[in-house]
Amino acid sequence: NAGVTQTPKFRILKIGQSMTLQCTQDMNHNYMYWYRQDPGMGLKLIYYSVGAGITDKGEVPNGYNVSRSTTEDFPLRLELAAPSQTSVYFCASSYSGSGVYGYTFGSGTRLTVV
Amino acid sequence: QKEVEQNSGPLSVPEGAIASLNCTYSDRGSQSFFWYRQYSGKSPELIMSIYSNGDKEDGRFTAQLNKASQYVSLLIRDSQPSDSATYLCAVSPEAAGNKLTFGGGTRVLVKP
């Protein structure tokens, strides 16, 4: 049981380049999320999805885009990378029953924009 | 004002002692509360969830919730060096659905 799988684990981008961070989960969770974590700043929500075909902005969506074509996959697209996007990115998923449930996180992608 | 606040630490405790971590939140309507443990360079791992006022125990961990005072705490009994990590408090604000707001985390160092 793989849980939440993120690729790549590390990436260095040049300013202005674009890339896609991949996220796949095999737990049949409807809810999926992208967070970024800067040192000492906690986790900030970028985008989230409550099911295939449904996405919405979180707290810090500027400079990012997402899509959710299947239950399993929730890729995050960075367009025109900027140094401010240097961060650790975590994908997470959660059960969607009645109530609020804790998240299962992927192992993260450490991104540096130079 | 931050929505979820934690003392950044480090909280230094001797091995075998009790580590006490606190978290306050601003949204009085919040109903769901979580504690995550994050080792350096790793992803957060869910260790406790609590939804009702009072205490909830799981092994060496006890979560305490006081909605009237808007705080949630985590006690780690018989602290071990392997408990050295950053502990993140997460809260689901009212009307936020399943979205969690995270505190900045408290770094705990357990010294042998």
Side-chain angles (χ1 to χ4, degrees), chain A residues 100 102, chain B residues 33-35 46-66 72-77:
Chain A
V100 180
Chain B
F33 308 86
F34 305 87
W35 283 99
L46 180 67
I47 55 172
M48 291 288 289
S49 60
I50 187 166
Y51 303 95
S52 304
N53 280 329
D55 295 359
K56 179 181 179 182
E57 186 175 318
D58 185 357
R60 296 186 295 110
F61 297 103
T62 299
Q64 299 174 318
L65 176 60
N66 184 323
V72 56
S73 61
L74 180 70
L75 301 178
I76 307 173
R77 291 184 302 281

Side-chain angles (χ1 to χ4, degrees), chain A residues 11-57:
Chain A
R11 183 71 185 267
I12 297 175
L13 276 182
K14 293 184 178 179
I15 294 172
Q17 287 185 323
S18 300
M19 75 166 294
T20 300
L21 282 66
Q22 301 292 344
C23 176
T24 299
Q25 55 91 9
D26 63 359
M27 297 173 286
N28 201 33
H29 286 167
N30 280 327
Y31 292 174
M32 296 189 73
Y33 317 84
W34 275 105
Y35 282 85
R36 59 177 286 174
Q37 186 175 38
D38 300 318
M41 299 297 291
L43 292 151
K44 300 292 185 185
L45 181 64
I46 306 171
Y47 270 95
Y48 67 99
S49 170
V50 299
I54 306 170
T55 63
D56 206 348
K57 297 177 181 178

Side-chain angles (χ1 to χ4, degrees), chain B residues 8-82:
Chain B
S8 61
L11 175 65
S12 183
V13 296
E15 184 175 357
I18 296 175
S20 178
L21 291 73
N22 294 315
C23 169
T24 58
Y25 59 94
S26 60
D27 188 320
R28 183 170 290 277
S30 299
Q31 296 293 327
S32 305
F33 308 86
F34 305 87
W35 283 99
Y36 288 81
R37 177 177 62 200
Q38 186 175 25
Y39 293 115
S40 180
K42 301 296 185 182
S43 60
E45 172 194 12
L46 180 67
I47 55 172
M48 291 288 289
S49 60
I50 187 166
Y51 303 95
S52 304
N53 280 329
D55 295 359
K56 179 181 179 182
E57 186 175 318
D58 185 357
R60 296 186 295 110
F61 297 103
T62 299
Q64 299 174 318
L65 176 60
N66 184 323
K67 290 184 180 179
S69 299
Q70 294 177 242
Y71 82 79
V72 56
S73 61
L74 180 70
L75 301 178
I76 307 173
R77 291 184 302 281
D78 187 25
S79 295
Q80 301 297 308
S82 59

Side-chain angles (χ1 to χ4, degrees), chain A residues 2 4 9-10 27 36 38 42 60 62 65 71 82-83 87 91-92 95 97 99 102 109:
Chain A
V4 179
K9 293 190 184 302
F10 303 94
M27 297 173 286
R36 59 177 286 174
D38 300 318
V60 289
N62 291 342
N65 274 300
T71 299
S87 188
C91 179
Y95 178 62
T109 296

